[in-house]
Amino acid sequence: MAPSAPSITSTMSARATTPRPSSYRCKSEKRGMIYNIMLVGQSGLGRRTFLNTLCEREVIPSAEAPNPDTANVADPMKFDTYEVNLEEDGTRISLSVIDAAGFGDGLDNTSCFKQLQDYIEAQFDEVLVEESRIKRNRRYRDHRLHALIYFIAPTGHSLRELDIELIRRLGEYVNIIPAIGRADSLTVEELQTFKQNVMRDIDFYKLPIYNFCWDESDSEALKENRDIMDFLPFSVVTCDEVLDNEYGLVRVRRYPWGTIEIDDESQCDFVLLRYILLNSHIADLINYTEEVLYENYRTKKLEVGGFAEGEGDDEDAEDDDDDDNVPQSARKPE
Amino acid sequence: MSAPDATGSAKSQASAGGIGIANLPNQLHKIVTKKGTNFSLMVVGESGTGKTTFINTLLTTELIEPLDDASRRKKQLDKTVDINIHKAELEEKMFSVKLNVVDTPGFGDYVDNNDCWLPVVDFIENQYEQYLRQEQQPVRKGIVDMRVHACLYFIRPNGHTLKPLDVRAMKAIGARVNLIPIIAKADTLSPAALRQFKKRVMDVIDAQSIRIYQPPVDSEDENTMQRNKDIISAMPFAIIGSDREVKTADGRCVKGRLYPWGVAEVENDQHCDFKKLRSLLIRTHMLDLISTTEEVHYDKYRTTQMKTRKFGEPKLKKNDNKKFREEEEALRARFTEKVKLEENRFRQWEQRLIAERDRLNKDLEQEHNLVKQLESEIEAIANSGSPNGKFFRK
């Protein structure tokens, strides 16, 4: 399990001693903790540069020049997976990042939500199947999404229909963390107003974003989490170049009117988001996915019935003789 | 200045007065100054691209008020593109301009943005139509000219290329009006990224045959020519908008955006192209925009319309919209059904009438026969020699 990490250590070490439900997790120490996140947002909001800045190296090469002759047709959505091995404060993380390219870029984007939902459900289904196998695959890698970072366009006003629909549809399958892409187009005032408007909209439409305060048992962590939630949505500015000045290497973004230091917390929330994602809340996010989101999905799936090994299709829901299909090992977990 | 040739005779040199043709521009100047002019500007783009701020910055006055939360939420629900017109009258040094700004809230803001440029295109064409009809009236005095002279299209600075929505919309709009593409909120692109984005946008505009406004370059004045060339090379214009004054690091008070890392100045050519665009729209090319609209775009519309319509006839409404076609089909089906029903009813009625008539005719015949019978009996009695017969004999 995760060894002690700075500041929010109390929660981490407490959780470290509670046994995890899935037994195959025990071997994680050698490989690194399995952690899957997805980046979703319209093109141009900085998803790819965010990943590169997060991992401190160029994981995704910058896109090649688009073909002007095909600019009138949108590219279909695709899911590109990038695997990175990180070491964060002594913990090894086997990070798998899925970039959902093409979301919201077309004229009619109604099919984008279904594609995302199908993808996330497919990962759940895989685990469902795997869990119920008689002979489990020892080298099986869990692909369930532990966090989804959604990049909101910095309009400065409030949430758009695309944003609302996405969070509404996917919030029950994955932890959604809203972030503002290209936050350097908003002044300090505008950023405050925008953050407030977004949170107001989230309350108004009752959108299911990840609730940092879901675990009410630890009161200390609860207070810290409430403070963190004041920063939502996190403003993201990504690194353009690395300067070498008298303080060492600094990651910056340079403009004719000034230079932004990415790692300066007063200028953007990148550092905070990174810390949450890879350090303080990694266990929380994984736990919530496994204990709540996955369990809810599983219950729903099995209640409907007709779950056959190897297929996770809801279309077969009418099928009642699942006794024949699901093998001997326990249908319900412990 | 020589007087015009008269039947091949030698040109007469300018005498002290000439005949005064050279004074025509001054007269025109007086006329125009008195009349003022009318300018319509349209802003199109997704919400949050800075259209309202740009207009307010351009006119240095808050012409358009920003929407508040509640109205924005309501707008999200109705999924339509509105056309809002704001009117203002600007006056500078005794010259007045009646300015119309057309705003298009709701454009490109929804999940399904198919055909969202149709209301914009329809609006532009309707203005041409209105003008055409007014021109054809017997009394042409108070013509209201709302023809759009320039359309500013705000492109989101995503750093890659134009979106399919931008391509389709710009194509449709550029064919009908002077289209000026603008990179909105350009202060999120670094100078290198901005250059690359501009080039990519222009590549797409060329490849997709999108027609944009090309200001004329040639001029008598070398400076003006250079300035025009600068303007053209800066397209699409990268814009930062701000309607408030801030203090820079070196103490100047400028219109700009205050960031923790510096001040992006609106009127600084190193930071954005606002001054060039303002010059294009107002200072140097406003009249060219107006005349291109009248001579090229409006004329094209007029020609196509007049070829197919008679003088004074109203415009045919052709609705290519899928939704409308379905409705039309549905209505037509209902109509034919109703007609069929009515026809059936009438037919039945007719048959009933015929049956009634036949019945009555038959009765009539029966009576007739009865009468005939009685008559023949009378005859018989009259002709027989019986003593009663004399009553019947006449």
Side-chain angles (χ1 to χ4, degrees):
Chain A
M1 308 299 126
S4 52
S7 81
I8 324 205
T9 47
S10 44
T11 38
M12 292 283 276
S13 34
R15 231 173 275 305
T17 54
T18 1
R20 291 190 191 234
S22 313
S23 55
Y24 61 83
R25 188 49 63 91
C26 300
K27 289 250 170 57
S28 69
E29 278 315 292
K30 286 226 186 95
R31 291 182 288 191
M33 204 176 213
I34 300 209
Y35 193 39
N36 309 315
I37 60 179
M38 183 186 252
L39 305 176
V40 179
Q42 286 184 300
S43 101
L45 289 178
R47 288 185 329 272
R48 283 188 283 240
T49 19
F50 173 74
L51 178 59
N52 294 342
T53 315
L54 193 77
C55 304
E56 290 161 18
R57 63 172 184 272
E58 194 174 275
V59 178
I60 311 182
S62 35
E64 28 182 77
N67 183 358
D69 294 318
T70 55
N72 57 335
V73 216
D75 291 329
M77 258 188 89
K78 53 188 170 103
F79 299 95
D80 297 322
T81 313
Y82 302 90
E83 314 244 337
V84 188
N85 286 319
L86 295 176
E87 183 150 333
E88 196 59 27
D89 270 340
T91 317
R92 278 218 284 212
I93 303 177
S94 165
L95 177 67
S96 174
V97 178
I98 300 113
D99 176 31
F103 173 78
D105 287 335
L107 273 177
D108 185 354
N109 299 307
T110 18
S111 58
C112 291
F113 308 115
K114 180 94 184 16
Q115 287 179 280
L116 278 168
Q117 187 178 324
D118 286 344
Y119 182 89
I120 300 176
E121 286 190 352
Q123 312 312 315
F124 278 163
D125 288 337
E126 241 182 58
V127 173
L128 205 53
V129 165
E130 192 56 36
E131 270 186 349
S132 4
R133 271 199 218 284
I134 301 175
K135 196 163 178 195
R136 289 198 190 169
N137 181 358
R138 268 204 252 140
R139 288 202 236 115
Y140 172 69
R141 196 207 194 276
D142 182 4
H143 285 288
R144 287 178 294 189
L145 280 185
H146 300 121
L148 186 149
I149 317 250
Y150 181 65
F151 289 81
I152 303 174
T155 59
H157 301 308
S158 51
L159 286 182
R160 298 177 304 158
E161 195 192 356
L162 193 72
D163 310 328
I164 298 172
E165 276 305 299
L166 179 109
I167 304 180
R168 201 179 256 162
R169 303 240 201 147
L170 298 185
E172 66 176 283
Y173 298 105
V174 69
N175 298 321
I176 299 186
I177 300 178
I180 304 174
R182 283 203 189 270
D184 53 346
S185 75
L186 298 168
T187 62
V188 177
E189 264 186 75
E190 288 172 353
L191 187 61
Q192 273 309 105
T193 323
F194 187 49
K195 283 190 178 188
Q196 279 169 6
N197 289 346
V198 170
M199 292 319 281
R200 261 211 299 266
D201 272 354
I202 288 180
D203 281 334
F204 180 81
Y205 292 107
K206 305 216 189 345
L207 297 179
I209 57 169
Y210 174 63
N211 179 8
F212 285 81
C213 307
W214 66 275
D215 186 357
E216 318 216 316
S217 53
D218 191 332
S219 54
E220 219 181 275
L222 205 57
K223 180 171 179 319
E224 279 187 50
N225 281 326
R226 274 204 218 106
D227 290 338
I228 287 178
M229 288 192 88
D230 284 339
F231 283 91
L232 280 177
F234 300 112
S235 63
V236 171
V237 178
T238 50
C239 170
D240 220 10
E241 48 188 307
V242 184
L243 284 188
D244 199 353
N245 66 9
E246 64 261 24
Y247 304 111
L249 293 173
V250 187
R251 296 196 294 183
V252 296
R253 226 180 138 74
R254 269 205 289 196
Y255 291 114
W257 49 88
T259 306
I260 310 178
E261 283 183 36
I262 310 293
D263 297 310
D264 182 347
E265 286 193 43
S266 64
Q267 296 187 356
C268 73
D269 299 329
F270 176 77
V271 174
L272 177 61
L273 179 57
R274 184 178 195 281
Y275 192 72
I276 289 174
L277 267 187
L278 296 182
N279 225 314
S280 54
H281 285 69
I282 185 170
D284 275 0
L285 289 165
I286 295 179
N287 282 348
Y288 194 77
T289 309
E290 291 181 2
E291 288 171 25
V292 183
L293 296 174
Y294 173 66
E295 288 303 314
N296 286 346
Y297 177 77
R298 195 175 180 289
T299 315
K300 208 166 59 159
K301 206 65 193 288
L302 295 179
E303 257 173 12
V304 165
F307 178 73
E309 187 173 357
E311 5 171 81
D313 220 278
D314 267 315
E315 258 59 72
D316 309 349
E318 316 315 313
D319 193 348
D320 254 336
D321 48 320
D322 35 333
D323 286 300
D324 305 285
N325 290 332
V326 176
Q328 265 73 331
S329 50
R331 278 209 304 169
K332 267 187 124 62
E334 71 287 25
Chain B
M1 185 91 176
S2 54
D5 275 343
T7 59
S9 54
K11 292 193 190 126
S12 57
Q13 283 297 72
S15 48
I19 61 170
I21 295 179
N23 203 34
L24 271 175
N26 293 339
Q27 290 182 32
L28 197 58
H29 183 261
K30 282 210 198 98
I31 295 174
V32 174
T33 321
K34 212 157 52 120
K35 207 166 64 152
T37 186
N38 178 4
F39 189 62
S40 293
L41 182 66
M42 192 172 207
V43 282
V44 176
E46 294 174 41
S47 88
T49 42
K51 305 188 293 292
T52 312
T53 318
F54 172 74
I55 292 291
N56 294 343
T57 315
L58 185 73
L59 306 177
T60 60
T61 177
E62 194 173 283
L63 177 63
I64 309 181
E65 284 159 19
L67 280 178
D68 65 346
D69 266 359
S71 358
R72 246 180 233 290
R73 287 210 192 111
K74 215 159 56 119
K75 184 92 200 89
Q76 279 293 329
L77 293 176
D78 70 25
K79 304 204 198 213
T80 56
V81 178
D82 292 336
I83 304 277
N84 292 342
I85 305 179
H86 306 270
K87 295 195 192 223
E89 188 155 334
L90 308 174
E91 189 168 316
E92 199 178 285
K93 288 197 191 139
M94 304 288 284
F95 185 68
S96 76
V97 171
K98 283 203 186 48
L99 182 68
N100 299 312
V101 177
V102 183
D103 191 9
T104 53
F107 179 86
D109 283 336
Y110 306 113
V111 174
D112 181 1
N113 292 313
N114 255 321
D115 293 336
C116 67
W117 54 88
L118 285 184
V120 175
V121 164
D122 280 343
F123 177 79
I124 295 172
E125 292 204 326
N126 279 340
Q127 304 318 307
Y128 290 153
E129 178 62 27
Q130 296 291 334
Y131 192 78
L132 185 65
R133 282 223 234 132
Q134 286 178 83
E135 257 196 336
Q136 294 174 353
Q137 295 300 323
V139 178
R140 292 199 294 183
K141 222 150 185 220
I143 291 190
V144 170
D145 185 6
M146 279 284 301
R147 294 176 295 182
V148 178
H149 298 118
C151 179
L152 302 175
Y153 189 88
F154 284 71
I155 302 170
R156 248 193 215 290
N158 65 22
H160 298 307
T161 181
L162 283 182
K163 294 198 308 196
L165 169 64
D166 297 332
V167 172
R168 302 275 300 269
M170 282 171 67
K171 226 187 212 166
I173 297 174
R176 294 166 166 90
V177 76
N178 292 325
L179 177 68
I180 301 175
I182 290 185
I183 300 177
K185 296 204 169 175
D187 50 356
T188 178
L189 292 171
S190 65
L194 182 61
R195 268 195 302 273
Q196 187 189 57
F197 187 52
K198 278 191 180 186
K199 179 169 181 314
R200 286 196 184 157
V201 168
M202 291 313 279
D203 283 344
V204 174
I205 288 179
D206 282 332
Q208 298 284 334
S209 316
I210 298 174
R211 194 163 150 187
I212 59 174
Y213 174 65
Q214 298 284 359
V217 185
D218 292 317
S219 161
E220 309 108 19
D221 182 0
E222 194 50 47
N223 278 340
T224 329
M225 243 175 83
Q226 186 52 44
R227 204 177 40 218
N228 287 343
K229 283 213 190 96
D230 283 340
I231 289 182
I232 296 182
S233 64
M235 282 177 95
F237 301 104
I239 294 294
I240 303 174
S242 169
D243 42 11
R244 53 182 76 175
E245 304 248 325
V246 292
K247 235 196 179 79
T248 57
D250 44 0
R252 290 171 296 140
C253 209
V254 291
K255 254 205 300 231
R257 295 171 60 74
L258 176 65
Y259 293 111
W261 46 87
V263 173
E265 299 168 41
V266 170
E267 299 196 359
N268 183 337
D269 274 326
Q270 304 294 324
H271 295 184
C272 75
D273 300 325
F274 178 79
K275 270 172 57 178
K276 294 201 180 88
L277 179 59
R278 184 175 58 189
S279 166
L280 180 82
L281 281 181
I282 300 179
R283 194 178 291 255
T284 52
H285 287 85
M286 184 190 268
L287 286 180
D288 184 66
L289 285 166
I290 296 178
S291 63
T292 328
T293 310
E294 290 181 5
E295 288 162 24
V296 178
H297 296 284
Y298 171 65
D299 207 60
K300 194 167 81 159
Y301 177 81
R302 194 170 171 280
T303 318
T304 32
Q305 291 298 314
M306 300 225 110
K307 274 200 196 133
T308 54
R309 276 158 61 179
K310 292 201 296 260
F311 196 84
E313 206 181 81
K315 176 177 180 184
L316 290 155
K317 282 256 172 196
K318 71 174 165 80
N319 267 319
D320 297 59
N321 209 333
K322 287 190 290 172
K323 286 188 281 189
F324 291 151
R325 209 181 301 142
E326 279 172 23
E327 276 183 28
E328 209 182 300
E329 292 297 320
L331 280 173
R332 198 171 293 153
R334 271 221 318 267
F335 178 69
T336 12
E337 250 185 67
K338 274 225 171 83
V339 166
K340 259 201 230 132
L341 273 171
E342 290 297 304
E343 276 187 4
N344 274 339
R345 214 163 58 100
F346 280 126
R347 218 171 289 140
Q348 282 178 354
W349 198 7
E350 194 185 24
Q351 281 178 349
R352 254 186 281 140
L353 280 178
I354 291 178
E356 188 74 21
R357 184 190 65 180
D358 285 342
R359 194 175 59 91
L360 288 174
N361 273 350
K362 221 187 282 167
D363 282 348
L364 196 61
E365 245 191 73
Q366 274 182 350
E367 296 297 315
H368 200 66
N369 286 340
L370 201 57
V371 166
K372 265 229 163 67
Q373 216 183 345
L374 290 174
E375 263 188 14
S376 52
E377 275 182 18
I378 293 176
E379 284 283 335
I381 297 177
N383 286 336
S384 72
S386 70
N388 296 329
K390 56 177 184 231
F391 294 117
F392 295 111
R393 264 193 303 265
K394 265 294 160 273

